[in-house]
Amino acid sequence: MTRQSLDKSVSEGSTERIVPERCLSLTVRGPWGHFRRVEGNIVKQTYRIIPRTTIAGLLAAVLGIGRDEYYDLFGPDASAVAIEPVRELRTVNMPMNTLSTAAGDLTSLNGRGKISIKLPDPTNLRQQHNYEVLVEPAYRIDVWLSDADRFEELASMLDAGKSHYVPSLGLSEHLADIEFHGVFDIEPIDEGAERVEIDSAVPGGFDDVIMDAGHRCQIEESPAFMTADQGGRTTTAFTTYAYNPDAGPLTVSGADAARVGDRTVVFV
Amino acid sequence: MLSPEEFREEYDDEELAAELPDSPISSLRSIQYLYGKLYTLGTLGGGQYAPYLTPDAADDIIDTEDSLIVVRVDVSDDEPSLADDDRGPVWVTRYSDDLVQSVSHCKYPAARGIDHSVTHQAGQNSNPEKLARYAKERLTKWPVDDEVQDVADEHVDGWIIDALAALGENEETLESVESGVTDALGGESTTALLTVQVKTEPDGDYRWPGEIDGFMEAMRRRKLSKLVTKNKADDSSGDATDLVTGDGARTVGTAEDPQNYFLGKQLEKFPGLDIEEAWRSHPISEDAAITVMNADTFVDECSYRTFGAKVYYLPYFQRVPTPDSARELYGLLYHATKDEDMTPVERAYQELRNRESEYELRFYVSAVMPHQMSRYDVFGETMNGRLLYPKTLAVEHNNVVDKTAAFQSDSGRTAPMPTHDGWDLLTEDNNRLHPVSTGWYFRETFAERDDDEAAADDPRIEALIAVLSGDSIAVETLLEEYVDRIDTDENDETVESFPSFRVASQFAQLCALATDELDLLSTDDPGKESITREPNYEEDSMETAAQILATDGGNAAAEKLETFIEDTPALAHDPDASLNDQRRGAFLLGVLIGEVGGYQNYSEERSTTLIDQYPVKSITRTRIKKVTQEAIGKTITYTRNEDRTITLFEHVVERLRETILRPDPDEWEIETDDLRFYYALGVTYGMNDHPDWEQTETDTEEES
């Protein structure tokens, strides 16, 4: 059993991965969700599977860690995350009225003071933009962190139903509800198994998935890991997920699957 | 562009594999990247500069009169001058296929500014004055551009660029160029490329831009500069992970993409979308950016307009591209550029039917509404479109109207639903994939709207995208749209009487969408679940026991009604679907209204019938009882008038009575659209229900 190959689906990453022995498990859900796809800013399409980087941000919000300060905690060597959609993935178009944020349309508030912010002029005419929004998204998420202190802290925060910042699904107006299921042991599954029913999204795209008429199977690529530098943050690796949009299982051969409770998932 | 056969000969497996990405196709960018690669390989082949050129930008003027204007310059002397040979300083000729490479055009896709290459494309039908100005700019504007000058400083050919610039400062030279152009064109306007030819050696020939490395390098640099400086960015670039290849690279933030989904500006509600930092949120390497831009031609050919939106339908083969799948894809895309009449859906079907690769074939599908150059809305999108859905839908629709007992009958009585040669959705059509893939299929049945002003929530676009991608359509949406359209038709003065062919078309569509294999109907309402099930109408024209009995004196009309109801999951009695009984009540009431209306029309020659008296929009749960009483009352009146012993339409009346009493309509829970559509379906059934005259006549002839 080679757990190192966990990251073979990741386009860049280290070759050695630590074997997680346990993880904590939670479900995030909300009435709406929007995870902007990197291909567009003019168009506002959403990923169907909550990106790994978004989960990192969400959990960092629970822990109260600031922007650009949590990427190492959720780095490829230091963490493992499995994502399972537990509701049918459905989207609607939601037109929203927005103000232009082009440089010319922004005015400074308190321009000479210590704290200065820029705001669009609220008297301007709005433009309507169409957001693709997930309807009642819900994901079961299994997380392991190598930082044992943070892991315990996260578990106790979740157990207590607490959070430092308000958790949301992509955009701040799409509030998230978190349900904690507890800490579980991870049991690896023998890679020799020819057919495994996987409950989570399967990293690596279609290659390991056995197509059958009964299950719909779709694919998408989203950011997985980030790093911070002086100027901001960049994505260091993307992951391609195959997933069942009806929130059912996928049949897979030769995946690095693991059992968490009564579910079978693949970690990234 | 190489034909698929030439492409096959040009690149063997090894060469092709070296060019292809080694990760699975899993995002729009990776599809565009693959398209760009194939395009470059198919047009200008390999080579350092090929990916930067735009050989198709001036495609439409190839081999037309006066389509290439060449400013000819001799720099072989110490003193650069215009050509003084037989051909003269300005040569107006045809832009032919074999000149594409030499002219090496690289268009800057913007209304203002000069093209990246020294070769520049003038607007449609420019007048001679304008062309003369563009011709002069080959010497005055291009060689002195900042990026070009940087190359001139470093490159061994730099002196040629400087010589052009020096000529551009000479007023006399410019006047000669101007008069050369206007004289050669004789006052006529034309659509043309403008370029230069340069003689660099005293004994040499005049060389095209494609033959001068310094010009090509300057072109490349100009194009690359736009990847980091568009939209007022100073230098949006940085080291990051390329989102196409996954490798670390210098990434750029303001590159174009063929669909214009990402533009550098807009801070908006995502923090950090600063134009200088655009490369962080959209990290694409220089090489990938250029390649993605080259996908433009193919991407454009795989799009079409419908309902005021632009539908992109980009085929790709799932998994990591192989030489074989790349050749197959190239073939598809190549044919897309040659064939204007077919949608990409049909083309893919033409090319790939009966081939095993169909399952691997997927489509990126999106419907885009371009409001302005920089304000796009996407109404529906998926990476996971499959040919299976539109194709099977086309086949199933044909099947329903041509082969099932719902639309065809040979029992001596008409089929439950009417057919008509003038109605495309009611006849077999081997080209049905076209209306399905263009969306016309839904335009025919859904409520009418202004096609030029597509809205994000236009259900026709949603339905089209759903079919292309295999997502389901809500039954509620269909019923609402159907009833709305029926109502419009009923109020339309050009439509005579009841729109039964429209209703029949809608019903055929409903049946086709419900096909088990497609499963394109969905509902959250358990009461409507039965509508989403596939009906089981006989497909065989063999006589059934019931039909044989009928000819022996049974009631053929009653048998037909019974069978139709039993075979329609939305109408049949089902202990698990309580609304079915109410729906059947509405249907049977419609049938009776249709039968009586037909009788009034034919036997009584009345122009206003019960059908006109009770239009679909007037039917509500509260009116059901009253309308039923009046309709039954009418049948009794006509029965008396005819001195019959058996009540007219007794088979309907009996069933209607049974259904409408339990539960009482006052307690019905069925929704209005549901109620109305099945009432309309009933009216259609009733109007069409009579002995099959055609068949009766044929039978009589045979007997005589």
Side-chain angles (χ1 to χ4, degrees):
Chain A
M1 172 71 206
T2 52
R3 296 302 271 305
Q4 290 95 318
S5 52
L6 270 177
D7 62 351
K8 75 181 175 193
S9 61
V10 177
S11 42
E12 191 190 80
S14 66
T15 48
E16 289 288 323
R17 293 285 294 274
I18 307 150
V19 181
E21 284 175 358
R22 58 196 196 119
C23 64
L24 53 83
S25 190
L26 61 144
T27 299
V28 293
R29 57 166 64 88
W32 309 104
H34 177 83
F35 311 115
R36 184 184 70 83
R37 292 220 318 246
V38 297
E39 293 99 336
N41 63 340
I42 289 302
V43 304
K44 287 106 174 59
Q45 304 305 106
T46 179
Y47 290 113
R48 300 297 192 268
I49 301 293
I50 183 171
R52 195 189 189 282
T53 50
T54 310
I55 292 170
L58 181 82
L59 297 177
V62 171
L63 290 168
I65 313 176
R67 182 186 166 100
D68 293 347
E69 288 164 17
Y70 59 87
Y71 307 138
D72 289 342
L73 182 62
F74 289 90
D77 302 323
S79 65
V81 176
I83 306 164
E84 174 194 344
V86 290
R87 280 195 69 129
E88 179 198 358
L89 294 160
R90 193 159 69 86
T91 61
V92 294
N93 290 326
M94 194 183 280
M96 292 191 207
N97 294 331
T98 55
L99 283 165
S100 168
T101 52
D105 292 320
L106 292 180
T107 43
S108 284
L109 261 190
N110 191 21
R112 286 156 193 260
K114 269 189 178 165
I115 299 170
S116 160
I117 51 167
K118 284 188 160 187
L119 281 181
D121 180 353
T123 60
N124 279 349
L125 288 177
R126 267 70 176 168
Q127 278 193 340
Q128 197 166 68
H129 275 287
N130 195 51
Y131 281 73
E132 184 186 42
V133 180
L134 289 156
V135 184
E136 299 185 327
Y139 307 93
R140 174 82 177 246
I141 292 162
D142 304 299
V143 187
W144 166 79
L145 299 175
S146 69
D147 185 329
D149 293 343
R150 284 294 195 189
F151 185 86
E152 294 306 331
E153 187 189 349
L154 184 57
S156 67
M157 285 292 286
L158 291 171
D159 196 30
K162 286 189 193 166
S163 174
H164 278 276
Y165 300 112
V166 181
S168 68
L169 293 167
L171 290 175
S172 58
E173 58 261 46
H174 300 326
L175 297 183
D177 177 39
I178 299 179
E179 181 189 351
F180 186 54
H181 304 291
V183 175
F184 293 79
D185 288 336
I186 302 176
E187 300 163 39
I189 284 181
D190 188 7
E191 206 183 341
E194 290 220 330
R195 292 172 75 93
V196 188
E197 295 258 299
I198 306 282
D199 296 299
S200 70
V202 179
F206 286 132
D207 276 358
D208 296 331
V209 178
I210 299 167
M211 296 291 176
D212 67 77
H215 295 148
R216 287 202 293 159
C217 177
Q218 306 193 336
I219 191 171
E220 76 182 13
E221 185 187 70
S222 57
F225 298 102
M226 291 190 292
T227 184
D229 55 34
Q230 293 82 359
R233 64 187 187 188
T234 57
T235 301
T236 54
F238 297 86
T239 303
T240 301
Y241 287 106
Y243 64 95
N244 181 339
D246 303 314
L250 286 176
T251 313
V252 167
S253 69
D256 298 311
R259 297 283 294 171
V260 174
D262 55 357
R263 298 154 50 246
T264 310
V265 301
V266 184
F267 284 97
V268 173
Chain B
M1 197 181 300
L2 298 178
S3 72
E5 295 72 34
E6 290 163 341
F7 189 88
R8 193 172 291 275
E9 279 166 28
E10 186 76 27
Y11 304 103
D12 63 28
D13 278 2
E14 204 178 320
E15 286 170 304
L16 205 48
E19 297 284 340
L20 298 173
D22 53 9
S23 50
I25 301 294
S26 52
S27 68
L28 173 61
R29 288 287 175 275
S30 54
I31 294 174
Q32 291 169 334
Y33 181 80
L34 181 58
Y35 280 23
K37 275 277 178 212
L38 294 177
Y39 176 77
T40 306
L41 291 170
T43 48
L44 294 159
Q48 192 186 354
Y49 299 114
Y52 294 85
L53 297 171
T54 54
D56 276 348
D59 215 10
D60 51 337
I61 57 168
I62 284 206
D63 254 331
T64 58
E65 207 66 50
D66 298 343
S67 52
L68 185 65
I69 298 170
V70 191
V71 177
R72 305 177 71 243
V73 177
D74 184 349
V75 298
S76 58
D77 268 344
D78 287 347
E79 191 68 25
S81 63
L82 292 175
D84 60 357
D85 61 1
D86 299 345
R87 207 162 251 172
V90 175
W91 175 33
V92 178
T93 181
R94 280 166 175 265
Y95 178 52
S96 59
D97 258 329
D98 54 320
L99 284 180
V100 173
Q101 189 101 31
S102 318
V103 165
S104 289
H105 181 216
C106 173
K107 183 160 181 60
Y108 176 46
R112 297 175 61 190
I114 53 173
D115 288 349
H116 299 308
S117 52
V118 66
T119 303
H120 178 73
Q121 186 170 15
Q124 285 282 326
N125 236 359
S126 302
N127 59 40
E129 291 71 36
K130 213 177 208 175
L131 291 168
R133 178 160 60 84
Y134 291 145
K136 288 188 287 186
E137 284 176 0
R138 302 308 91 218
L139 307 178
T140 58
K141 211 165 168 188
W142 188 80
V144 298
D145 172 88
D146 287 349
E147 298 292 333
V148 176
Q149 270 301 309
D150 283 351
V151 175
D153 291 345
E154 302 161 10
H155 199 278
V156 286
D157 291 338
W159 66 276
I160 309 178
I161 294 170
D162 287 335
L164 289 191
L167 261 179
E169 285 170 9
N170 185 331
E171 276 305 318
E172 225 171 279
T173 309
L174 295 179
E175 276 167 30
S176 310
V177 171
E178 179 161 359
S179 58
V181 172
T182 40
D183 290 354
L185 290 173
E188 295 294 317
S189 296
T190 186
T191 310
L193 284 177
L194 300 107
T195 190
V196 297
Q197 266 193 320
V198 187
K199 180 170 151 183
T200 50
E201 302 298 327
D203 314 323
D205 293 328
Y206 280 85
R207 294 156 69 192
W208 293 103
E211 298 162 307
I212 301 170
D213 193 72
F215 282 16
M216 299 300 276
E217 181 56 32
M219 173 277 298
R220 192 177 84 98
R221 201 75 71 84
R222 257 181 74 78
K223 186 159 183 170
L224 282 178
S225 74
K226 292 295 179 202
L227 303 180
V228 297
T229 61
K230 230 182 62 176
N231 288 329
K232 297 179 193 151
D234 290 326
D235 177 14
S236 180
S237 68
D239 290 322
T241 303
D242 178 10
L243 68 89
V244 173
T245 60
D247 299 332
R250 176 176 186 257
T251 61
V252 294
T254 64
E256 308 259 332
D257 70 272
Q259 275 132 310
N260 242 342
Y261 283 2
F262 191 93
L263 292 177
K265 54 187 176 186
Q266 289 223 339
L267 215 60
E268 219 227 13
K269 61 205 304 174
F270 306 104
L273 282 185
D274 173 357
I275 181 155
E276 293 297 337
E277 305 293 333
W279 59 274
R280 292 183 186 275
S281 36
H282 186 251
I284 187 161
S285 66
E286 280 181 329
D287 168 60
I290 291 291
T291 309
V292 160
M293 287 160 81
N294 285 338
D296 205 24
T297 304
F298 283 156
V299 166
D300 225 47
E301 295 292 349
C302 291
S303 71
Y304 53 96
R305 288 196 164 272
T306 187
F307 304 129
K310 195 166 185 182
V311 175
Y312 289 99
Y313 200 74
L314 313 180
Y316 69 97
F317 292 97
Q318 47 171 315
R319 303 175 198 269
V320 179
T322 62
D324 279 338
S325 71
R327 288 191 193 101
E328 188 118 59
L329 184 60
Y330 181 80
L332 272 178
L333 298 171
Y334 174 84
H335 291 299
T337 63
K338 301 291 163 197
D339 188 344
E340 308 259 303
D341 295 335
M342 272 193 254
T343 59
V345 189
E346 295 168 87
R347 211 173 294 111
Y349 176 60
Q350 286 275 328
E351 294 283 313
L352 294 175
R353 64 174 144 195
N354 306 326
R355 299 258 284 282
E356 282 187 5
S357 51
E358 197 201 296
Y359 194 86
E360 312 267 299
L361 180 71
R362 297 260 167 155
F363 293 87
Y364 168 86
V365 186
S366 67
V368 175
M369 185 72 188
H371 300 287
Q372 303 154 11
M373 277 300 284
S374 61
R375 201 160 77 83
Y376 282 25
D377 273 338
V378 172
F379 292 163
E381 195 207 28
T382 180
M383 276 293 294
N384 302 293
R386 286 185 56 192
L387 188 55
L388 167 80
Y389 297 100
K391 189 193 77 185
T392 309
L393 182 59
V395 171
E396 286 298 332
H397 192 103
N398 274 348
N399 199 26
V400 168
V401 294
D402 198 53
K403 295 205 178 64
T404 69
F407 285 84
Q408 299 294 331
S409 158
D410 53 2
S411 66
R413 223 174 151 78
T414 51
M417 290 291 125
T419 51
H420 191 283
D421 286 344
W423 284 74
D424 287 352
L425 296 190
L426 296 179
T427 48
E428 191 182 13
D429 176 3
N430 289 327
N431 287 325
R432 187 159 341 261
L433 196 54
H434 187 74
V436 169
S437 55
T438 56
W440 187 88
Y441 186 63
F442 294 109
R443 179 177 287 150
E444 269 296 277
T445 55
F446 280 35
E448 287 177 298
R449 289 173 181 79
D450 183 0
D451 284 353
D452 298 331
E453 277 294 320
D457 53 357
D458 189 329
R460 300 172 305 174
I461 294 180
E462 280 175 28
L464 170 64
I465 299 298
V467 167
L468 294 179
S469 58
D471 272 343
S472 52
I473 307 166
V475 159
E476 290 78 5
T477 307
L478 283 185
L479 294 177
E480 190 185 336
E481 292 295 313
Y482 286 174
V483 170
D484 201 328
R485 184 61 175 266
I486 295 168
D487 182 52
T488 313
D489 280 3
E490 277 197 306
N491 291 322
D492 185 343
E493 286 173 6
T494 60
V495 178
E496 267 185 45
S497 78
F498 188 78
S500 54
F501 294 125
R502 179 84 62 204
V503 178
S505 302
Q506 292 169 335
F507 185 64
Q509 187 174 72
L510 192 68
C511 294
L513 289 168
T515 305
D516 281 343
E517 192 184 351
L518 289 168
D519 202 16
L520 286 174
L521 293 182
S522 68
T523 180
D524 290 334
D525 178 354
K528 296 203 180 68
E529 195 272 329
S530 53
I531 307 178
T532 67
R533 275 185 246 147
E534 176 171 347
N536 30 16
Y537 306 119
E538 293 277 335
E539 282 208 22
D540 205 340
S541 54
M542 287 269 288
E543 267 191 315
T544 61
Q547 286 163 347
I548 295 166
L549 269 181
T551 50
D552 287 350
N555 186 339
E559 289 294 344
K560 186 179 105 178
L561 185 64
E562 182 72 33
T563 314
F564 182 73
I565 290 172
E566 283 307 310
D567 292 349
T568 306
L571 297 175
H573 178 70
D574 180 345
D576 296 332
S578 58
L579 283 190
N580 272 18
D581 295 341
Q582 301 170 21
R583 194 175 293 123
R584 188 170 66 251
F587 170 76
L588 285 166
L589 174 60
V591 174
L592 186 61
I593 298 280
E595 301 265 13
V596 174
Y599 177 85
Q600 289 173 319
N601 205 340
Y602 293 114
S603 305
E604 303 275 301
E605 290 181 353
R606 284 179 44 177
S607 58
T608 302
T609 65
L610 275 192
I611 303 169
D612 307 296
Q613 220 169 321
Y614 302 113
V616 173
K617 208 66 180 228
S618 74
I619 301 298
T620 58
R621 284 198 304 255
T622 46
R623 291 200 67 198
I624 283 277
K625 224 150 92 177
K626 181 169 173 288
V627 177
T628 305
Q629 280 160 3
E630 288 193 23
I632 292 178
K634 277 275 184 273
T635 61
I636 293 168
T637 313
Y638 292 130
T639 306
R640 285 206 193 109
N641 290 353
E642 282 201 5
D643 255 352
R644 281 164 160 259
T645 47
I646 305 173
T647 320
L648 205 52
F649 318 121
E650 189 190 46
H651 64 289
V652 188
V653 174
E654 278 308 305
R655 287 215 66 153
L656 179 59
R657 276 205 177 108
E658 270 168 36
T659 314
I660 218 103
L661 291 177
R662 281 189 308 267
D664 189 278
D666 293 341
E667 287 157 32
W668 281 12
E669 288 163 353
I670 188 168
E671 277 177 30
T672 310
D673 284 331
D674 195 343
L675 182 84
R676 287 179 179 165
F677 178 71
Y678 281 91
Y679 168 77
L681 190 71
V683 175
T684 303
Y685 180 103
M687 285 173 68
N688 189 51
D689 184 36
H690 51 73
D692 192 340
W693 311 125
E694 273 178 38
Q695 195 164 333
T696 321
E697 278 165 26
T698 336
D699 291 350
T700 327
E701 275 166 30
E702 275 170 17
E703 277 170 25
S704 59

